[in-house]
Amino acid sequence: MGTKLTIGKAINAGLRAAMDSDPKVLMMGEDVGKLGGVFRVTDGLQKDFGADRVIDTPLAESGIVGTAIGLALRGYRPICEIQFDGFFFPATNQTFSQLAKMRRRSAGALSLPVVIRIPYGGGIGAVEHHSESPEAYFAHTAGLRVVTVATPEDAYWMIQQAVTSDDPVIFLEPKRRYYEKSEVETGGALSAATPMDAARVARPGNDATLLAYGPMVKTALQAAEADTERDIEVVDLRCLAPIDYDTVTASVRRTGRLVVVHEAPLTNGVGGEIAARVTEECFYHLEAPVTRVCGFDTPYPQSRLEEHYLPDLDRVLDGVDRVFAY
Amino acid sequence: MHYTTAHEDTELIQLLTPDGELRDHPDYPLDISTEEIRDLYRDLVLVRRVDTEAVALQRQGELGLWASLLGQEAAQVGSGRALRANDMAFPSYREHGVAWCRGIHPKELLGLFRGVTNGGWDPYEHGCQLYTIVIGTQNLHATGYAMGVQRDGALGEDGTAVISYFGDGATSQGDTNEAFNFAAVNNAPVVFFCQNNQWAISEPLERQSRVPLYQRARGYGFPGVRIDGNDVLASLAVTRQALRSAREGQGPTLIEAFTYRMGAHTTNDDPTRYRVSAELDEWKQRDPILRMRAYLSDQGIAGDAFFTEVDSEADDLGERVRRECRELPEPDPLDIFREVYAEPNSHIDRQRADFAEYLASFEDAGANEGR
């Protein structure tokens, strides 16, 4: 049964389904209860599942992730909400040195099925610390799975997959796309949904591959649509750790050209990693060097300048032009 | 001259004086058999022997590092013996006495410091989580675990309590303060057991806190008590009561065990650079083992035969620790890739396969040479 949902509502429905199907699933964070979160993504959950399962925490991010670790050690499956990307940083120690490593440290005796949901990325005219793209930090840390969504359909299913995963999952929500609406097929089994670590061809094409994830997928699709001269394929990466290189390299072997797009700063970003890997694996198939269209190596700017910072249609098309210049 | 220490002239719960005299405390009755008292002495001696051997093994190059508990045996054995089987302990990295009480074999500890494991034991089998190296992080884990105990409805007389171990330095960490607050607002069944050993590597207590550590609890809304950390009986009685209180739904307690790290922070540390020997001499007068021995002798609870027996047991244990340390198997190189994730991970699968192939190429080369 299909329903039209926004990404925000789809995550809410997915959270609800996850909590319905397993009483060990908990939601915890700042303002997630009566308020329903600052983006209302947890709206109504505390009313239906109680304050013991939808926990309003003190204002302390390390405390949220650290106690979630303890709850997981006791057999619970906590979902942490961090209010904004820039507020995640107080929780880095618990996430990087504890959450990511405890399974390995215990030689498999401990499982850490914790999900950390983070609204991320720019484009909403916010003040400092509310528009960051920290995905490379997470993707660089062994022990974490890092996913992001671009459609309501993926939002609904992938949040449930993240919750049922026995690994810690960083679930990045593209906040400027929370209100994008489309059909979601909410019927069917979770096991039948596309696995969350698989990339998806969002638009088939033959002349070049545009690779994006999260908030940039929509922009990439618009760019592909706008380029009437060339037949551009768009790949939605979905999972940043591990990256589904099989889908990426299969696409590049066919098209011979790759442009990677992300909002996060260019240097040492996910795009650089993909460029290196594709060069190693597809060297003889490439018609041009892999090109990146990204944010700049600067702090995220004040919001009046963010339209220049964020890759837009023109910058993406300029990137596409570059891979056809060879 | 009096060397130690900041915050000393505040109330200290002590049942056994440094001279070995037992004094009843109205709030903390000591409900214990003479057999249990003898066992506590045995634990103190055996735990110290494990520690002594481990330091020696490090000096011989058998361990990469060791964090000595010398001087802190009473705090650890008393609180460790207060725990029941279904309680859960969250240690830091110096809790060898707690690990001993939780039935963790010394060789499992040595494995971590020898570098053949990252942990070494099954936390659920022993009711004791793995050592945590980053200071204070485990206080949040213990608090979250205790919140889980609440949600399981596992409180009550036969219920579960949680205890978290940390040092004076950890009280400066945000995580410890966040844990105190999370535990307080959730009324979580957790005991925070701080071994104030006066030194965070080279930083003295005055550099950690302006107020006595146990008094911090009050600001979060739960009780804090200070015990003589070199008194195993006080440690046992007060921890039992705090655990009972947690089990009964009364929420957290902070216990500050006022003690002293007689050795170095770790085998890499040189305490002669930052503290004077007279301070150590003064604390030697308060040695936790000497006072128990004096008490046992004076009261006729144990005599020479018992002490000789325990010493001989310690000798056997020492020999076993040395042998088992050297016998610890070297890990397989492909262990690097094991148990990073619960579910398959294409990045790791690929790297493991490549590295296995690379390693196999040496074996093939060796085989060819043999022909």
Side-chain angles (χ1 to χ4, degrees):
Chain A
M1 51 188 164
T3 327
K4 270 208 154 187
L5 291 175
T6 63
I7 285 183
K9 294 279 187 202
I11 296 170
N12 180 279
L15 290 169
R16 185 174 288 277
M19 295 189 79
D20 259 333
S21 61
D22 183 353
K24 292 289 188 185
V25 175
L26 306 174
M27 181 69 224
M28 53 198 293
E30 298 159 9
D31 307 306
V32 297
K34 277 187 184 157
L35 182 65
V38 288
F39 290 102
R40 310 293 184 266
V41 173
T42 58
D43 190 29
L45 296 179
Q46 191 183 61
K47 186 168 130 295
D48 295 341
F49 295 100
D52 256 11
R53 290 190 64 196
V54 180
I55 308 165
D56 272 321
T57 66
L59 265 73
E61 287 75 15
S62 188
I64 293 168
V65 176
T67 52
I69 289 172
L71 281 157
L73 295 176
R74 183 68 192 181
Y76 286 85
R77 306 185 84 87
I79 308 163
C80 305
E81 176 176 301
I82 301 293
Q83 274 187 348
F84 283 92
D85 33 45
F87 304 166
F88 167 77
F89 299 112
T92 47
N93 171 43
Q94 284 291 349
T95 304
F96 295 157
S97 68
Q98 306 301 322
L99 181 64
K101 296 196 169 102
M102 289 174 80
R103 181 178 182 83
R104 160 87 191 147
R105 188 176 297 152
S106 69
L110 303 178
S111 271
L112 282 301
V114 175
V115 176
I116 305 179
R117 294 180 35 239
I118 308 173
Y120 89 117
I124 63 162
V127 294
E128 197 183 4
H129 310 303
H130 290 68
S131 306
E132 307 198 4
S133 298
E135 63 265 27
Y137 301 115
F138 299 116
H140 194 62
T141 302
L144 303 177
R145 293 177 185 276
V146 187
V147 300
T148 180
V149 296
T151 68
E153 174 87 8
D154 273 354
Y156 177 75
W157 292 107
M158 285 171 74
I159 187 64
Q160 294 180 67
Q161 291 168 330
V163 173
T164 52
S165 171
D166 282 334
D167 288 316
V169 178
I170 307 297
F171 193 86
L172 298 168
E173 301 173 4
K175 67 170 90 81
R176 71 168 145 143
R177 307 293 188 210
Y178 267 144
Y179 307 101
E180 302 284 328
K181 204 171 195 178
S182 63
E183 198 81 10
V184 179
E185 184 57 57
T186 54
L190 184 59
S191 56
T194 310
M196 70 175 182
D197 58 3
R200 171 182 74 100
V201 177
R203 180 191 198 270
N206 292 309
D207 297 340
T209 302
L210 248 182
L211 188 144
Y213 53 82
M216 292 312 302
V217 173
K218 182 181 180 184
T219 312
L221 284 167
Q222 287 169 337
E225 207 62 45
D227 189 339
T228 49
E229 288 170 26
R230 294 167 296 217
D231 183 22
I232 309 292
E233 176 149 307
V234 175
V235 173
D236 173 4
L237 197 58
R238 297 168 91 244
C239 187
L240 313 184
I243 288 170
D244 174 7
Y245 284 114
D246 292 343
T247 298
V248 176
T249 56
S251 175
V252 175
R253 285 202 178 97
R254 243 175 354 85
T255 64
R257 293 179 172 89
L258 176 64
V259 179
V260 186
V261 185
H262 59 61
E263 288 186 20
L266 174 94
T267 302
N268 296 317
V270 170
E273 162 57 31
I274 291 173
R277 184 58 163 266
V278 165
T279 305
E280 280 177 6
E281 297 204 5
C282 307
F283 188 70
Y284 292 109
H285 295 84
L286 285 171
E287 304 288 342
V290 179
T291 289
R292 291 167 290 166
V293 179
C294 304
F296 304 118
D297 292 343
T298 65
Y300 195 84
Q302 56 272 48
S303 59
R304 288 299 182 95
L305 292 177
E306 69 182 347
E307 63 177 294
H308 299 288
Y309 176 90
L310 294 168
D312 62 4
L313 196 59
D314 288 335
R315 270 176 65 198
V316 173
L317 285 172
D318 182 59
V320 172
D321 284 346
R322 272 184 276 151
V323 295
F324 282 101
Y326 286 84
Chain B
M1 191 174 164
H2 191 65
Y3 297 95
T4 52
T5 180
H7 318 156
E8 194 166 22
D9 53 351
T10 44
E11 195 191 356
L12 193 72
I13 292 159
Q14 185 182 68
L15 300 184
L16 193 62
T17 69
D19 298 329
E21 270 181 57
L22 188 64
R23 289 176 181 168
D24 287 335
H25 192 290
D27 300 333
Y28 299 100
L30 187 64
D31 180 18
I32 188 172
S33 69
T34 45
E35 190 55 38
E36 284 172 302
I37 291 181
R38 277 195 290 261
D39 284 346
L40 287 174
Y41 175 82
R42 179 184 281 111
D43 284 336
L44 294 175
V45 172
L46 296 182
V47 162
R48 180 168 291 186
R49 178 56 74 95
V50 170
D51 189 73
T52 309
E53 295 295 345
V55 171
L57 284 164
Q58 193 279 335
R59 297 296 185 233
Q60 293 160 15
E62 300 288 345
L63 300 179
L65 183 81
W66 182 252
S68 171
L69 64 28
L70 187 66
Q72 298 177 224
E73 296 88 347
Q76 295 191 15
V77 166
S79 59
R81 287 299 178 209
L83 295 167
R84 297 187 193 158
N86 60 346
D87 292 336
M88 183 61 85
F90 285 77
S92 181
Y93 48 77
R94 200 189 299 283
E95 270 65 72
H96 319 314
V98 177
W100 172 263
C101 294
R102 300 308 273 165
I104 293 162
H105 197 286
K107 79 174 174 189
E108 308 287 3
L109 305 178
L110 298 180
L112 173 66
F113 291 96
R114 189 173 168 86
V116 301
T117 71
N118 278 336
W121 58 89
D122 183 331
Y124 297 107
E125 187 188 331
H126 294 285
C128 183
Q129 294 288 324
L130 298 175
Y131 277 6
T132 35
I133 312 286
V134 181
I135 306 293
T137 49
Q138 75 280 11
N139 288 324
L140 280 168
H141 306 166
T143 302
Y145 191 93
M147 289 164 65
V149 169
Q150 283 176 313
R151 279 159 181 75
D152 291 343
L155 295 177
E157 195 166 340
D158 299 321
T160 292
V162 182
I163 189 166
S164 193
Y165 289 91
F166 55 103
D168 40 301
T171 64
S172 298
Q173 288 280 354
D175 275 6
T176 298
N177 291 278
E178 292 186 22
F180 287 176
N181 196 42
F182 269 70
V185 300
N186 289 292
N187 206 43
V190 56
V191 175
F192 295 110
F193 195 96
C194 174
Q195 290 168 80
N196 174 0
N197 69 12
Q198 315 299 329
W199 293 94
I201 310 187
S202 70
E203 301 278 7
L205 187 57
E206 303 90 271
R207 303 299 304 157
Q208 304 300 335
S209 184
R210 192 160 162 179
V211 299
L213 298 177
Y214 74 99
Q215 289 179 4
R216 294 239 185 123
R218 196 167 169 186
Y220 295 94
F222 56 87
V225 292
R226 173 180 278 184
I227 64 170
D228 179 341
N230 287 15
D231 172 358
V232 70
L233 300 180
S235 179
L236 177 78
V238 173
T239 308
R240 266 187 186 163
Q241 178 143 321
L243 291 167
R244 188 183 309 126
S245 169
R247 265 191 276 274
E248 286 172 355
Q250 311 290 318
T253 302
L254 169 63
I255 298 172
E256 178 192 359
F258 199 79
T259 182
Y260 190 74
R261 188 192 80 210
M262 290 192 189
H265 164 65
T266 69
T267 44
N268 282 346
D269 172 39
D270 174 11
T272 64
R273 292 175 72 102
Y274 55 84
R275 66 187 192 190
V276 295
S277 61
E279 179 183 300
L280 178 60
D281 293 341
E282 188 176 310
W283 275 93
K284 277 183 180 166
Q285 310 299 315
R286 311 185 205 177
D287 187 301
I289 296 183
L290 294 181
R291 75 172 75 174
M292 267 300 267
R293 188 173 171 130
Y295 170 65
L296 291 170
S297 302
D298 295 350
Q299 298 299 310
I301 296 169
D304 287 346
F306 172 76
F307 296 124
T308 310
E309 178 196 311
V310 172
D311 287 345
S312 141
E313 208 178 316
D315 289 341
D316 291 346
L317 177 63
E319 190 279 324
R320 203 176 75 188
V321 166
R322 292 194 297 273
R323 176 168 46 79
E324 289 182 346
C325 177
R326 295 187 172 97
E327 285 172 2
L328 284 168
E330 284 298 304
D332 183 287
L334 292 178
D335 269 4
I336 291 170
F337 303 96
R338 279 193 57 212
E339 303 294 357
V340 181
Y341 294 92
E343 294 164 29
N345 180 288
S346 56
H347 291 180
I348 288 197
D349 291 348
R350 203 184 283 226
Q351 288 178 11
R352 175 173 40 217
D354 289 349
F355 192 56
E357 197 180 320
Y358 171 75
L359 291 175
S361 72
F362 290 97
E363 285 166 23
D364 292 346
N368 289 336
E369 269 171 35
R371 275 177 204 149

